[in-house]
Amino acid sequence: MTIAGLAPAMLVGCAVHQSPTAAGYVPVPEYAVRMPVPTPSPVPTPTPPPPPEAPAGLLSTITALESQFDGIVGIAVTSVDEGWSVAANGERRMPQQSVSKLWVAMTVLDYRDQGRLSLDDPYTVTKADLTVFHQPVATLIGENGYPTTIRELLRRALTNSDNTCNDILLRYVGGPDSVRDFISRKGLGAIRFGPGERLLQAGTAGLEWRQEYSIGRAFYQARAALPGAVRLAAFNNYIADPPDGATATAIAQALARLKRGDLLSADSTSWLLATMESSHTGRQRLRGAVPAGWSFGHKTGTGQDFSGRTAGYNDVGILTAPDGKSYTIAVLIGDTSRTIPQRQELMQAVVASVVANHR
């Protein structure tokens, strides 16, 4: 029974190899050979190291300077090379005043980089171009005007803070909207640009601009004729919400990007930095504490006075150590009745602390 039961199974089993006929009915087995393929371990993405911490002594000093100053002040310092920033009241918008000439200059140079203008473009300044307050170019205008170039207007606007030169450049690039577009495209943050010197200064005083105010002392006389309540309201409104307002932090970081070459071409960057270093204004502001061997390029800004208060007394710039490391500094005094020497002392103390904490 056992043999009979096994025989058919053995026969079929042997037929796979011995009988061609049987082989046609038996499916040929398929063999899948599986070989393990090692899966590579994921390569971890390296985490960039955090930027070095700012010197604790610097942060402590500027915090104390801001808190002890009698007035509204914002202070910010950024390390161009290491990337750290420190600030005291650095997020409050303060009146820029002529600090805003920097953004006009950068817009002009950006147009140059795009091939939309040349610094050698000619321009003739006439009395119709005159603005208000500081405008030394006015003394050069003769019967036929004053022939010059965009380069010279830009140099005068930056190094002498000439309001007429600045407003000419502003119109040359299309007006305030062009500057605002530059600030937006470059992602400069909390920096506003106002309507230009004529309208800004008239509004701060409580006046509506008239071109006759650009001649002699006509603006001062019209301003003095206003009721005190009108002037005070306009002055306070400007400080509370300045149309040219910017934060110290945004300005310091924008200047750091300028120094790194992130905003303009290499040639335009070099030209602007060299021009800022040749500035004639504010020798006792930030520059007053720059030690021998260090270089400094800057732009000042000074607002109107009323009842012993000043709406905007500023200085911002780029400080470079003998070893090549640079720091950007912004000190914006938005409203104060402190004396000018006291304001300058504050600014110089910031520079002294940056130098003391240089490493």
mmCIF file with all atom_site columns, all heavy atoms in Angstrom, residues 257-279:
data_model
loop_
_atom_site.group_PDB
_atom_site.id
_atom_site.type_symbol
_atom_site.label_atom_id
_atom_site.label_alt_id
_atom_site.label_comp_id
_atom_site.label_asym_id
_atom_site.label_entity_id
_atom_site.label_seq_id
_atom_site.pdbx_PDB_ins_code
_atom_site.Cartn_x
_atom_site.Cartn_y
_atom_site.Cartn_z
_atom_site.occupancy
_atom_site.B_iso_or_equiv
_atom_site.pdbx_formal_charge
_atom_site.auth_seq_id
_atom_site.auth_comp_id
_atom_site.auth_asym_id
_atom_site.auth_atom_id
_atom_site.pdbx_PDB_model_num
ATOM 1   N N   . ARG A 1 257 ? 24.659 96.109  5.188   1.00 0.00 ? 257 ARG A N   1
ATOM 2   C CA  . ARG A 1 257 ? 24.484 95.507  3.865   1.00 0.00 ? 257 ARG A CA  1
ATOM 3   C C   . ARG A 1 257 ? 25.175 96.336  2.785   1.00 0.00 ? 257 ARG A C   1
ATOM 4   O O   . ARG A 1 257 ? 25.739 95.795  1.828   1.00 0.00 ? 257 ARG A O   1
ATOM 5   C CB  . ARG A 1 257 ? 22.996 95.354  3.554   1.00 0.00 ? 257 ARG A CB  1
ATOM 6   C CG  . ARG A 1 257 ? 22.307 94.297  4.424   1.00 0.00 ? 257 ARG A CG  1
ATOM 7   C CD  . ARG A 1 257 ? 20.852 94.133  4.040   1.00 0.00 ? 257 ARG A CD  1
ATOM 8   N NE  . ARG A 1 257 ? 20.726 93.752  2.651   1.00 0.00 ? 257 ARG A NE  1
ATOM 9   C CZ  . ARG A 1 257 ? 19.592 93.832  1.956   1.00 0.00 ? 257 ARG A CZ  1
ATOM 10  N NH1 . ARG A 1 257 ? 18.496 94.319  2.524   1.00 0.00 ? 257 ARG A NH1 1
ATOM 11  N NH2 . ARG A 1 257 ? 19.556 93.458  0.686   1.00 0.00 ? 257 ARG A NH2 1
ATOM 12  N N   . LEU A 1 258 ? 25.143 97.657  2.942   1.00 0.00 ? 258 LEU A N   1
ATOM 13  C CA  . LEU A 1 258 ? 25.878 98.508  2.002   1.00 0.00 ? 258 LEU A CA  1
ATOM 14  C C   . LEU A 1 258 ? 27.363 98.184  2.047   1.00 0.00 ? 258 LEU A C   1
ATOM 15  O O   . LEU A 1 258 ? 28.009 97.994  1.010   1.00 0.00 ? 258 LEU A O   1
ATOM 16  C CB  . LEU A 1 258 ? 25.653 99.976  2.354   1.00 0.00 ? 258 LEU A CB  1
ATOM 17  C CG  . LEU A 1 258 ? 26.520 100.983 1.581   1.00 0.00 ? 258 LEU A CG  1
ATOM 18  C CD1 . LEU A 1 258 ? 26.122 101.025 0.118   1.00 0.00 ? 258 LEU A CD1 1
ATOM 19  C CD2 . LEU A 1 258 ? 26.427 102.376 2.209   1.00 0.00 ? 258 LEU A CD2 1
ATOM 20  N N   . LYS A 1 259 ? 27.907 98.102  3.240   1.00 0.00 ? 259 LYS A N   1
ATOM 21  C CA  . LYS A 1 259 ? 29.334 97.826  3.405   1.00 0.00 ? 259 LYS A CA  1
ATOM 22  C C   . LYS A 1 259 ? 29.711 96.459  2.836   1.00 0.00 ? 259 LYS A C   1
ATOM 23  O O   . LYS A 1 259 ? 30.784 96.291  2.245   1.00 0.00 ? 259 LYS A O   1
ATOM 24  C CB  . LYS A 1 259 ? 29.694 97.908  4.895   1.00 0.00 ? 259 LYS A CB  1
ATOM 25  C CG  . LYS A 1 259 ? 31.137 97.549  5.234   1.00 0.00 ? 259 LYS A CG  1
ATOM 26  C CD  . LYS A 1 259 ? 32.129 98.543  4.678   1.00 0.00 ? 259 LYS A CD  1
ATOM 27  C CE  . LYS A 1 259 ? 33.545 98.231  5.160   1.00 0.00 ? 259 LYS A CE  1
ATOM 28  N NZ  . LYS A 1 259 ? 34.552 99.134  4.558   1.00 0.00 ? 259 LYS A NZ  1
ATOM 29  N N   . ARG A 1 260 ? 28.820 95.477  2.975   1.00 0.00 ? 260 ARG A N   1
ATOM 30  C CA  . ARG A 1 260 ? 29.093 94.136  2.440   1.00 0.00 ? 260 ARG A CA  1
ATOM 31  C C   . ARG A 1 260 ? 28.953 94.068  0.925   1.00 0.00 ? 260 ARG A C   1
ATOM 32  O O   . ARG A 1 260 ? 29.299 93.062  0.311   1.00 0.00 ? 260 ARG A O   1
ATOM 33  C CB  . ARG A 1 260 ? 28.144 93.118  3.074   1.00 0.00 ? 260 ARG A CB  1
ATOM 34  C CG  . ARG A 1 260 ? 28.318 92.924  4.575   1.00 0.00 ? 260 ARG A CG  1
ATOM 35  C CD  . ARG A 1 260 ? 27.400 91.825  5.086   1.00 0.00 ? 260 ARG A CD  1
ATOM 36  N NE  . ARG A 1 260 ? 27.338 91.804  6.542   1.00 0.00 ? 260 ARG A NE  1
ATOM 37  C CZ  . ARG A 1 260 ? 26.240 92.029  7.262   1.00 0.00 ? 260 ARG A CZ  1
ATOM 38  N NH1 . ARG A 1 260 ? 25.088 92.291  6.648   1.00 0.00 ? 260 ARG A NH1 1
ATOM 39  N NH2 . ARG A 1 260 ? 26.284 92.000  8.581   1.00 0.00 ? 260 ARG A NH2 1
ATOM 40  N N   . GLY A 1 261 ? 28.401 95.112  0.313   1.00 0.00 ? 261 GLY A N   1
ATOM 41  C CA  . GLY A 1 261 ? 28.215 95.106  -1.134  1.00 0.00 ? 261 GLY A CA  1
ATOM 42  C C   . GLY A 1 261 ? 26.918 94.485  -1.582  1.00 0.00 ? 261 GLY A C   1
ATOM 43  O O   . GLY A 1 261 ? 26.787 94.115  -2.756  1.00 0.00 ? 261 GLY A O   1
ATOM 44  N N   . ASP A 1 262 ? 25.934 94.409  -0.687  1.00 0.00 ? 262 ASP A N   1
ATOM 45  C CA  . ASP A 1 262 ? 24.667 93.749  -1.028  1.00 0.00 ? 262 ASP A CA  1
ATOM 46  C C   . ASP A 1 262 ? 23.682 94.674  -1.747  1.00 0.00 ? 262 ASP A C   1
ATOM 47  O O   . ASP A 1 262 ? 22.697 94.175  -2.305  1.00 0.00 ? 262 ASP A O   1
ATOM 48  C CB  . ASP A 1 262 ? 23.976 93.234  0.245   1.00 0.00 ? 262 ASP A CB  1
ATOM 49  C CG  . ASP A 1 262 ? 24.748 92.124  0.930   1.00 0.00 ? 262 ASP A CG  1
ATOM 50  O OD1 . ASP A 1 262 ? 25.641 91.548  0.272   1.00 0.00 ? 262 ASP A OD1 1
ATOM 51  O OD2 . ASP A 1 262 ? 24.470 91.849  2.114   1.00 0.00 ? 262 ASP A OD2 1
ATOM 52  N N   . LEU A 1 263 ? 23.904 95.976  -1.729  1.00 0.00 ? 263 LEU A N   1
ATOM 53  C CA  . LEU A 1 263 ? 22.882 96.903  -2.221  1.00 0.00 ? 263 LEU A CA  1
ATOM 54  C C   . LEU A 1 263 ? 23.203 97.511  -3.579  1.00 0.00 ? 263 LEU A C   1
ATOM 55  O O   . LEU A 1 263 ? 22.294 97.820  -4.340  1.00 0.00 ? 263 LEU A O   1
ATOM 56  C CB  . LEU A 1 263 ? 22.660 98.032  -1.202  1.00 0.00 ? 263 LEU A CB  1
ATOM 57  C CG  . LEU A 1 263 ? 22.224 97.598  0.202   1.00 0.00 ? 263 LEU A CG  1
ATOM 58  C CD1 . LEU A 1 263 ? 21.989 98.828  1.089   1.00 0.00 ? 263 LEU A CD1 1
ATOM 59  C CD2 . LEU A 1 263 ? 20.976 96.733  0.149   1.00 0.00 ? 263 LEU A CD2 1
ATOM 60  N N   . LEU A 1 264 ? 24.488 97.706  -3.861  1.00 0.00 ? 264 LEU A N   1
ATOM 61  C CA  . LEU A 1 264 ? 24.900 98.382  -5.088  1.00 0.00 ? 264 LEU A CA  1
ATOM 62  C C   . LEU A 1 264 ? 26.052 97.629  -5.736  1.00 0.00 ? 264 LEU A C   1
ATOM 63  O O   . LEU A 1 264 ? 26.624 96.711  -5.130  1.00 0.00 ? 264 LEU A O   1
ATOM 64  C CB  . LEU A 1 264 ? 25.336 99.820  -4.770  1.00 0.00 ? 264 LEU A CB  1
ATOM 65  C CG  . LEU A 1 264 ? 24.297 100.747 -4.132  1.00 0.00 ? 264 LEU A CG  1
ATOM 66  C CD1 . LEU A 1 264 ? 24.968 102.023 -3.622  1.00 0.00 ? 264 LEU A CD1 1
ATOM 67  C CD2 . LEU A 1 264 ? 23.181 101.086 -5.103  1.00 0.00 ? 264 LEU A CD2 1
ATOM 68  N N   . SER A 1 265 ? 26.400 98.026  -6.955  1.00 0.00 ? 265 SER A N   1
ATOM 69  C CA  . SER A 1 265 ? 27.562 97.430  -7.610  1.00 0.00 ? 265 SER A CA  1
ATOM 70  C C   . SER A 1 265 ? 28.822 97.744  -6.813  1.00 0.00 ? 265 SER A C   1
ATOM 71  O O   . SER A 1 265 ? 28.835 98.658  -5.975  1.00 0.00 ? 265 SER A O   1
ATOM 72  C CB  . SER A 1 265 ? 27.702 97.970  -9.031  1.00 0.00 ? 265 SER A CB  1
ATOM 73  O OG  . SER A 1 265 ? 28.094 99.336  -8.999  1.00 0.00 ? 265 SER A OG  1
ATOM 74  N N   . ALA A 1 266 ? 29.883 97.011  -7.089  1.00 0.00 ? 266 ALA A N   1
ATOM 75  C CA  . ALA A 1 266 ? 31.138 97.228  -6.364  1.00 0.00 ? 266 ALA A CA  1
ATOM 76  C C   . ALA A 1 266 ? 31.637 98.657  -6.561  1.00 0.00 ? 266 ALA A C   1
ATOM 77  O O   . ALA A 1 266 ? 32.100 99.307  -5.610  1.00 0.00 ? 266 ALA A O   1
ATOM 78  C CB  . ALA A 1 266 ? 32.192 96.223  -6.822  1.00 0.00 ? 266 ALA A CB  1
ATOM 79  N N   . ASP A 1 267 ? 31.543 99.181  -7.791  1.00 0.00 ? 267 ASP A N   1
ATOM 80  C CA  . ASP A 1 267 ? 32.044 100.521 -8.062  1.00 0.00 ? 267 ASP A CA  1
ATOM 81  C C   . ASP A 1 267 ? 31.196 101.577 -7.357  1.00 0.00 ? 267 ASP A C   1
ATOM 82  O O   . ASP A 1 267 ? 31.732 102.521 -6.760  1.00 0.00 ? 267 ASP A O   1
ATOM 83  C CB  . ASP A 1 267 ? 32.050 100.777 -9.568  1.00 0.00 ? 267 ASP A CB  1
ATOM 84  C CG  . ASP A 1 267 ? 32.731 102.089 -9.915  1.00 0.00 ? 267 ASP A CG  1
ATOM 85  O OD1 . ASP A 1 267 ? 33.913 102.259 -9.563  1.00 0.00 ? 267 ASP A OD1 1
ATOM 86  O OD2 . ASP A 1 267 ? 32.080 102.956 -10.534 1.00 0.00 ? 267 ASP A OD2 1
ATOM 87  N N   . SER A 1 268 ? 29.865 101.417 -7.412  1.00 0.00 ? 268 SER A N   1
ATOM 88  C CA  . SER A 1 268 ? 28.987 102.384 -6.749  1.00 0.00 ? 268 SER A CA  1
ATOM 89  C C   . SER A 1 268 ? 29.137 102.318 -5.234  1.00 0.00 ? 268 SER A C   1
ATOM 90  O O   . SER A 1 268 ? 29.109 103.344 -4.547  1.00 0.00 ? 268 SER A O   1
ATOM 91  C CB  . SER A 1 268 ? 27.533 102.141 -7.147  1.00 0.00 ? 268 SER A CB  1
ATOM 92  O OG  . SER A 1 268 ? 27.314 102.498 -8.501  1.00 0.00 ? 268 SER A OG  1
ATOM 93  N N   . THR A 1 269 ? 29.308 101.100 -4.705  1.00 0.00 ? 269 THR A N   1
ATOM 94  C CA  . THR A 1 269 ? 29.523 100.948 -3.262  1.00 0.00 ? 269 THR A CA  1
ATOM 95  C C   . THR A 1 269 ? 30.792 101.665 -2.829  1.00 0.00 ? 269 THR A C   1
ATOM 96  O O   . THR A 1 269 ? 30.803 102.413 -1.844  1.00 0.00 ? 269 THR A O   1
ATOM 97  C CB  . THR A 1 269 ? 29.610 99.462  -2.885  1.00 0.00 ? 269 THR A CB  1
ATOM 98  O OG1 . THR A 1 269 ? 28.377 98.814  -3.210  1.00 0.00 ? 269 THR A OG1 1
ATOM 99  C CG2 . THR A 1 269 ? 29.888 99.284  -1.401  1.00 0.00 ? 269 THR A CG2 1
ATOM 100 N N   . SER A 1 270 ? 31.869 101.448 -3.574  1.00 0.00 ? 270 SER A N   1
ATOM 101 C CA  . SER A 1 270 ? 33.148 102.076 -3.247  1.00 0.00 ? 270 SER A CA  1
ATOM 102 C C   . SER A 1 270 ? 33.033 103.599 -3.306  1.00 0.00 ? 270 SER A C   1
ATOM 103 O O   . SER A 1 270 ? 33.544 104.308 -2.415  1.00 0.00 ? 270 SER A O   1
ATOM 104 C CB  . SER A 1 270 ? 34.225 101.583 -4.215  1.00 0.00 ? 270 SER A CB  1
ATOM 105 O OG  . SER A 1 270 ? 35.458 102.222 -3.974  1.00 0.00 ? 270 SER A OG  1
ATOM 106 N N   . TRP A 1 271 ? 32.340 104.109 -4.321  1.00 0.00 ? 271 TRP A N   1
ATOM 107 C CA  . TRP A 1 271 ? 32.191 105.559 -4.456  1.00 0.00 ? 271 TRP A CA  1
ATOM 108 C C   . TRP A 1 271 ? 31.414 106.143 -3.282  1.00 0.00 ? 271 TRP A C   1
ATOM 109 O O   . TRP A 1 271 ? 31.804 107.162 -2.710  1.00 0.00 ? 271 TRP A O   1
ATOM 110 C CB  . TRP A 1 271 ? 31.471 105.890 -5.767  1.00 0.00 ? 271 TRP A CB  1
ATOM 111 C CG  . TRP A 1 271 ? 31.472 107.345 -6.101  1.00 0.00 ? 271 TRP A CG  1
ATOM 112 C CD1 . TRP A 1 271 ? 32.368 108.010 -6.881  1.00 0.00 ? 271 TRP A CD1 1
ATOM 113 C CD2 . TRP A 1 271 ? 30.542 108.346 -5.638  1.00 0.00 ? 271 TRP A CD2 1
ATOM 114 N NE1 . TRP A 1 271 ? 32.055 109.360 -6.935  1.00 0.00 ? 271 TRP A NE1 1
ATOM 115 C CE2 . TRP A 1 271 ? 30.935 109.587 -6.178  1.00 0.00 ? 271 TRP A CE2 1
ATOM 116 C CE3 . TRP A 1 271 ? 29.417 108.300 -4.815  1.00 0.00 ? 271 TRP A CE3 1
ATOM 117 C CZ2 . TRP A 1 271 ? 30.246 110.777 -5.934  1.00 0.00 ? 271 TRP A CZ2 1
ATOM 118 C CZ3 . TRP A 1 271 ? 28.727 109.491 -4.555  1.00 0.00 ? 271 TRP A CZ3 1
ATOM 119 C CH2 . TRP A 1 271 ? 29.133 110.704 -5.116  1.00 0.00 ? 271 TRP A CH2 1
ATOM 120 N N   . LEU A 1 272 ? 30.333 105.489 -2.903  1.00 0.00 ? 272 LEU A N   1
ATOM 121 C CA  . LEU A 1 272 ? 29.504 106.006 -1.819  1.00 0.00 ? 272 LEU A CA  1
ATOM 122 C C   . LEU A 1 272 ? 30.246 105.963 -0.484  1.00 0.00 ? 272 LEU A C   1
ATOM 123 O O   . LEU A 1 272 ? 30.212 106.936 0.290   1.00 0.00 ? 272 LEU A O   1
ATOM 124 C CB  . LEU A 1 272 ? 28.204 105.215 -1.731  1.00 0.00 ? 272 LEU A CB  1
ATOM 125 C CG  . LEU A 1 272 ? 27.216 105.639 -0.644  1.00 0.00 ? 272 LEU A CG  1
ATOM 126 C CD1 . LEU A 1 272 ? 26.917 107.125 -0.723  1.00 0.00 ? 272 LEU A CD1 1
ATOM 127 C CD2 . LEU A 1 272 ? 25.939 104.822 -0.734  1.00 0.00 ? 272 LEU A CD2 1
ATOM 128 N N   . LEU A 1 273 ? 30.927 104.864 -0.193  1.00 0.00 ? 273 LEU A N   1
ATOM 129 C CA  . LEU A 1 273 ? 31.650 104.755 1.073   1.00 0.00 ? 273 LEU A CA  1
ATOM 130 C C   . LEU A 1 273 ? 32.752 105.806 1.172   1.00 0.00 ? 273 LEU A C   1
ATOM 131 O O   . LEU A 1 273 ? 32.936 106.436 2.223   1.00 0.00 ? 273 LEU A O   1
ATOM 132 C CB  . LEU A 1 273 ? 32.231 103.352 1.224   1.00 0.00 ? 273 LEU A CB  1
ATOM 133 C CG  . LEU A 1 273 ? 31.226 102.201 1.367   1.00 0.00 ? 273 LEU A CG  1
ATOM 134 C CD1 . LEU A 1 273 ? 31.958 100.864 1.441   1.00 0.00 ? 273 LEU A CD1 1
ATOM 135 C CD2 . LEU A 1 273 ? 30.336 102.389 2.584   1.00 0.00 ? 273 LEU A CD2 1
ATOM 136 N N   . ALA A 1 274 ? 33.474 106.012 0.088   1.00 0.00 ? 274 ALA A N   1
ATOM 137 C CA  . ALA A 1 274 ? 34.543 107.022 0.100   1.00 0.00 ? 274 ALA A CA  1
ATOM 138 C C   . ALA A 1 274 ? 33.969 108.417 0.279   1.00 0.00 ? 274 ALA A C   1
ATOM 139 O O   . ALA A 1 274 ? 34.544 109.255 0.995   1.00 0.00 ? 274 ALA A O   1
ATOM 140 C CB  . ALA A 1 274 ? 35.347 106.940 -1.202  1.00 0.00 ? 274 ALA A CB  1
ATOM 141 N N   . THR A 1 275 ? 32.817 108.689 -0.339  1.00 0.00 ? 275 THR A N   1
ATOM 142 C CA  . THR A 1 275 ? 32.192 110.002 -0.213  1.00 0.00 ? 275 THR A CA  1
ATOM 143 C C   . THR A 1 275 ? 31.697 110.233 1.209   1.00 0.00 ? 275 THR A C   1
ATOM 144 O O   . THR A 1 275 ? 31.848 111.330 1.765   1.00 0.00 ? 275 THR A O   1
ATOM 145 C CB  . THR A 1 275 ? 31.041 110.141 -1.220  1.00 0.00 ? 275 THR A CB  1
ATOM 146 O OG1 . THR A 1 275 ? 31.545 109.928 -2.546  1.00 0.00 ? 275 THR A OG1 1
ATOM 147 C CG2 . THR A 1 275 ? 30.409 111.519 -1.146  1.00 0.00 ? 275 THR A CG2 1
ATOM 148 N N   . MET A 1 276 ? 31.123 109.206 1.818   1.00 0.00 ? 276 MET A N   1
ATOM 149 C CA  . MET A 1 276 ? 30.677 109.326 3.208   1.00 0.00 ? 276 MET A CA  1
ATOM 150 C C   . MET A 1 276 ? 31.851 109.617 4.139   1.00 0.00 ? 276 MET A C   1
ATOM 151 O O   . MET A 1 276 ? 31.718 110.367 5.112   1.00 0.00 ? 276 MET A O   1
ATOM 152 C CB  . MET A 1 276 ? 29.958 108.052 3.644   1.00 0.00 ? 276 MET A CB  1
ATOM 153 C CG  . MET A 1 276 ? 28.601 107.848 2.990   1.00 0.00 ? 276 MET A CG  1
ATOM 154 S SD  . MET A 1 276 ? 27.893 106.204 3.317   1.00 0.00 ? 276 MET A SD  1
ATOM 155 C CE  . MET A 1 276 ? 27.628 106.303 5.098   1.00 0.00 ? 276 MET A CE  1
ATOM 156 N N   . GLU A 1 277 ? 33.004 109.052 3.843   1.00 0.00 ? 277 GLU A N   1
ATOM 157 C CA  . GLU A 1 277 ? 34.174 109.276 4.694   1.00 0.00 ? 277 GLU A CA  1
ATOM 158 C C   . GLU A 1 277 ? 34.714 110.701 4.555   1.00 0.00 ? 277 GLU A C   1
ATOM 159 O O   . GLU A 1 277 ? 35.433 111.182 5.437   1.00 0.00 ? 277 GLU A O   1
ATOM 160 C CB  . GLU A 1 277 ? 35.268 108.262 4.370   1.00 0.00 ? 277 GLU A CB  1
ATOM 161 C CG  . GLU A 1 277 ? 34.931 106.844 4.835   1.00 0.00 ? 277 GLU A CG  1
ATOM 162 C CD  . GLU A 1 277 ? 36.084 105.872 4.658   1.00 0.00 ? 277 GLU A CD  1
ATOM 163 O OE1 . GLU A 1 277 ? 37.186 106.319 4.256   1.00 0.00 ? 277 GLU A OE1 1
ATOM 164 O OE2 . GLU A 1 277 ? 35.883 104.670 4.926   1.00 0.00 ? 277 GLU A OE2 1
ATOM 165 N N   . SER A 1 278 ? 34.362 111.376 3.467   1.00 0.00 ? 278 SER A N   1
ATOM 166 C CA  . SER A 1 278 ? 34.844 112.746 3.268   1.00 0.00 ? 278 SER A CA  1
ATOM 167 C C   . SER A 1 278 ? 33.834 113.791 3.725   1.00 0.00 ? 278 SER A C   1
ATOM 168 O O   . SER A 1 278 ? 33.991 114.975 3.431   1.00 0.00 ? 278 SER A O   1
ATOM 169 C CB  . SER A 1 278 ? 35.187 112.974 1.787   1.00 0.00 ? 278 SER A CB  1
ATOM 170 O OG  . SER A 1 278 ? 34.014 112.908 0.989   1.00 0.00 ? 278 SER A OG  1
ATOM 171 N N   . SER A 1 279 ? 32.814 113.365 4.469   1.00 0.00 ? 279 SER A N   1
ATOM 172 C CA  . SER A 1 279 ? 31.765 114.285 4.917   1.00 0.00 ? 279 SER A CA  1
ATOM 173 C C   . SER A 1 279 ? 32.331 115.386 5.807   1.00 0.00 ? 279 SER A C   1
ATOM 174 O O   . SER A 1 279 ? 33.225 115.154 6.632   1.00 0.00 ? 279 SER A O   1
ATOM 175 C CB  . SER A 1 279 ? 30.683 113.516 5.672   1.00 0.00 ? 279 SER A CB  1
ATOM 176 O OG  . SER A 1 279 ? 29.710 114.390 6.190   1.00 0.00 ? 279 SER A OG  1
#
